[in-house]
Amino acid sequence: MSTMKNPPSILIVGAGAIGSFYGAILKRAGCSVSTVLRSEYEVVKTQGIRITSPLGDLSYQPDQVYRDGDTPVAAPDYLILCVKVLPGVDRAELVRPWMGPNTRLVLIENGLGIERELAEAYPDNPILSCLAFIAASRTEPGVIEHKAYGKLVMGAYPKGIDGHCRELSELFIAGGIKVDLSEAVVGERWRKCLWNTPFNPLSVIANGADTRTILDTEGGEALIRAMIREVMAVAEAEGYPMDEGLIEQNIDGTRKMPPYKNSMALDYLNDRPIERDAVLGNVVALAEHHGIAVPHLNTVLVTLRMRAALEGRA
Amino acid sequence: MSTMKNPPSILIVGAGAIGSFYGAILKRAGCSVSTVLRSEYEVVKTQGIRITSPLGDLSYQPDQVYRDGDTPVAAPDYLILCVKVLPGVDRAELVRPWMGPNTRLVLIENGLGIERELAEAYPDNPILSCLAFIAASRTEPGVIEHKAYGKLVMGAYPKGIDGHCRELSELFIAGGIKVDLSEAVVGERWRKCLWNTPFNPLSVIANGADTRTILDTEGGEALIRAMIREVMAVAEAEGYPMDEGLIEQNIDGTRKMPPYKNSMALDYLNDRPIERDAVLGNVVALAEHHGIAVPHLNTVLVTLRMRAALEGRA
């Protein structure tokens, strides 16, 4: 599918639905794509990754299938990190065995403030920060259903667009998806969090409420507005002022979609850990740092912490 | 036990743990005590109410056992209402068949703003408002375990201490419990709600967290302080200014007790309806009325409403 000579080598760390999908796209673009797996190592080693998609059958056999603790054949040109951002998961340590001096570290992960620990651990490696706009899920081990969308927003961390961004984005585009390059990708994270930070954790403490239930409950829309305002205040203090109109846009956009449960609600309902701090805790910590009151966000955060304490988690 | 001549007749509406216990106390004081029951009618009619207590065996056979829809033999002198305050339960209608022109209506119920609908429905009947400080639970139909305490705080509604208060409190004291008469019983409700309004609903959205978990979670004690402050601000606007020191007193007192799950948390964990509005919703409504911001309380309230909507309740 690609016409590029000597396409770069890719290693996907965390080949769940998201990692497997973007690996498939780069495979279609002609890259060598390897994966590091944990529980699904055996099945993927044997039968590859099966992906159904509106783009066609994206199934592929990774060039190498590693598991945690393996020694890599060679460090990749691009290491794409797609694990959940969870307390207790040291992502810098997770990628260490696979990082070479020239490896570009690519994050396709949700949340805010998630690049810093990696930038500090690998100050000489370029970091590309990406947001995925995609509906995909893992239906059984080694089997992914890509339902819709797939666009990436990408930029160098902490800002700018460099040659690595351009090279990797061309490969993704050659593989069949859209990529928006951004000079200020952290600002894009804030923009996405205007929605995620209010809706995701609130749906969890409301026991998995869908978007319609959240907005139609007495006081629900006002609560969401107040939470969006709090996120905006922190974004502005961080150097990313947001247009007031985004409040209405987020609410109107949500009302126009069919009611749905967001990914954090689904994680909660399926007893999977949730990205509490990446989506919410880091925002509240930044608010404290700037002396900004975020009482609504804080109430939700502390409640989630109490639940985690009850369940014996961090 | 009592030396009183012609002791007044008592009717308990809602003879759960609380109602059954205070009925037993008045029975010990020599009153005729009847009950109105729903699901436990048959068992109480047949075998009476069994109560174990540090005060001794308080078991008794009510003088009359009614069920909803029955016609009373005579209107009682005191109708003691002990049902939970829930949306969808019209307490004014519930007591209507049993109210006579001289019946004094006694509320032994939790929460704030719970007297008004009864005062409006029965403007000519005296209303006595009581707070119960008691640990008691229903262990099976018709069987109550009284564990500890039992004191009542009592006053006329909306304020003052009248002859009815004095008569009834003497009977309770004769029966073996303590009664504090209060000139401002609504203020006493606010004082109790300094604890209940933060701790009870928060423990529910934290999935039944006990007091220790709530206070020891990162940010938990600060959240409780903020919520107590919000309740205080509303109390003050309502004419019941509270001493700042009560914040520390409530937190220190809670820390000194063994960790425990409050009654609302237990109701939630046992799939029983919770007194959301009596304990929290009415406080937030009064805050709105006074233009006082209560963002922490409001976040918890709206979350509870979302949960109720998910469960198909009001």
Side-chain angles (χ1 to χ4, degrees), chain A residues 9-13 15 32-36 60 62-66:
Chain A
S9 63
I10 308 292
L11 181 71
I12 311 284
V13 176
S32 80
V33 175
S34 299
T35 57
V36 183
Y60 65 110
D63 291 82
Q64 301 283 339
V65 181
Y66 298 112

Side-chain angles (χ1 to χ4, degrees), chain A residues 202 204-210 213-215 217-221 223-224 227 230 261 268 294-300 302-303 305-307 309-311, chain B residues 202 204-210 213-215 217-221 223-224 227 230 261 268 294-300 302-303 305-307 309-311:
Chain A
L202 188 62
V204 172
I205 64 167
N207 278 355
D210 62 31
T213 303
I214 287 174
L215 289 178
T217 293
E218 182 189 351
E221 188 177 312
L223 176 57
I224 287 288
M227 293 173 82
E230 290 177 355
K261 292 186 199 291
Y268 166 72
V294 290
H296 302 90
L297 297 179
N298 190 58
T299 303
V300 177
V302 174
T303 301
R305 283 199 195 122
M306 288 173 187
R307 287 180 169 218
L310 272 190
E311 294 160 13
Chain B
L202 188 62
V204 172
I205 65 167
N207 279 354
D210 61 31
T213 303
I214 287 175
L215 288 179
T217 293
E218 182 188 351
E221 188 176 312
L223 176 56
I224 287 288
M227 294 173 80
E230 290 177 355
K261 293 187 197 294
Y268 166 73
V294 289
H296 303 91
L297 297 178
N298 189 57
T299 303
V300 177
V302 174
T303 301
R305 284 200 195 122
M306 288 175 187
R307 287 181 171 216
L310 272 188
E311 293 160 14

Side-chain angles (χ1 to χ4, degrees), chain B residues 25-277:
Chain B
I25 296 298
L26 293 171
K27 190 79 190 160
R28 295 221 303 176
C31 299
S32 80
V33 175
S34 300
T35 58
V36 182
L37 294 163
R38 195 173 308 191
S39 59
E40 306 198 355
Y41 171 81
E42 290 297 342
V43 64
V44 171
K45 180 99 181 164
T46 320
Q47 65 182 52
I49 296 171
R50 311 254 74 83
I51 308 182
T52 58
S53 165
L55 299 173
D57 181 0
L58 300 185
S59 304
Y60 64 110
Q61 181 64 45
D63 292 81
Q64 300 283 340
V65 180
Y66 297 112
R67 63 184 141 190
D68 277 352
D70 280 356
T71 305
V73 174
D77 294 318
Y78 290 93
L79 187 158
I80 301 184
L81 182 60
C82 298
V83 297
K84 275 192 178 178
V85 181
L86 300 173
V89 176
D90 184 335
R91 288 144 65 238
E93 280 312 302
L94 194 66
V95 300
R96 190 171 299 281
W98 322 95
M99 291 289 289
N102 298 312
T103 299
R104 286 80 105 184
L105 184 52
V106 184
L107 313 185
I108 306 183
E109 294 178 307
N110 275 324
L112 276 161
I114 62 166
E115 300 98 341
R116 188 175 314 171
E117 60 182 298
L118 293 156
E120 285 170 3
Y122 305 102
D124 299 327
N125 295 74
I127 294 189
L128 284 67
S129 187
C130 304
L131 290 164
F133 294 80
I134 184 170
S137 57
R138 174 194 160 285
T139 53
E140 56 185 285
V143 182
I144 310 297
E145 184 187 1
H146 171 223
K147 289 170 205 139
Y149 318 114
K151 186 181 81 171
L152 287 176
V153 174
M154 180 191 295
Y157 177 80
K159 62 184 179 195
I161 297 171
D162 61 16
H164 310 299
C165 291
R166 275 185 286 270
E167 178 183 57
L168 188 63
S169 67
E170 281 165 21
L171 289 164
F172 276 123
I173 291 164
I177 63 163
K178 289 185 188 166
V179 180
D180 288 352
L181 290 176
S182 169
E183 291 280 354
V185 70
V186 174
E188 298 298 330
R189 289 195 175 274
W190 279 105
R191 191 179 292 265
K192 192 172 184 188
C193 277
L194 290 188
W195 198 97
N196 286 354
T197 300
F199 275 94
N200 289 12
L202 188 62
S203 75
V204 172
I205 65 167
N207 279 354
D210 61 31
T211 47
R212 181 69 50 84
T213 303
I214 287 175
L215 288 179
D216 283 357
T217 293
E218 182 188 351
E221 188 176 312
L223 176 56
I224 287 288
R225 274 174 209 280
M227 294 173 80
I228 296 177
R229 265 179 219 290
E230 290 177 355
V231 180
M232 277 186 168
V234 184
E236 180 158 12
E238 283 282 296
Y240 301 99
M242 302 272 155
D243 189 299
E244 275 281 299
L246 285 172
I247 300 177
E248 289 318 304
Q249 234 174 280
N250 272 286
I251 288 175
D252 289 352
T254 307
R255 284 207 177 279
K256 277 180 192 137
M257 289 186 295
Y260 81 101
K261 293 187 197 294
N262 59 60
S263 62
M264 190 184 276
L266 293 174
D267 281 343
Y268 166 73
L269 292 171
N270 289 291
D271 284 324
R272 295 187 295 254
I274 60 170
E275 295 183 302
R276 181 191 72 208
D277 291 333

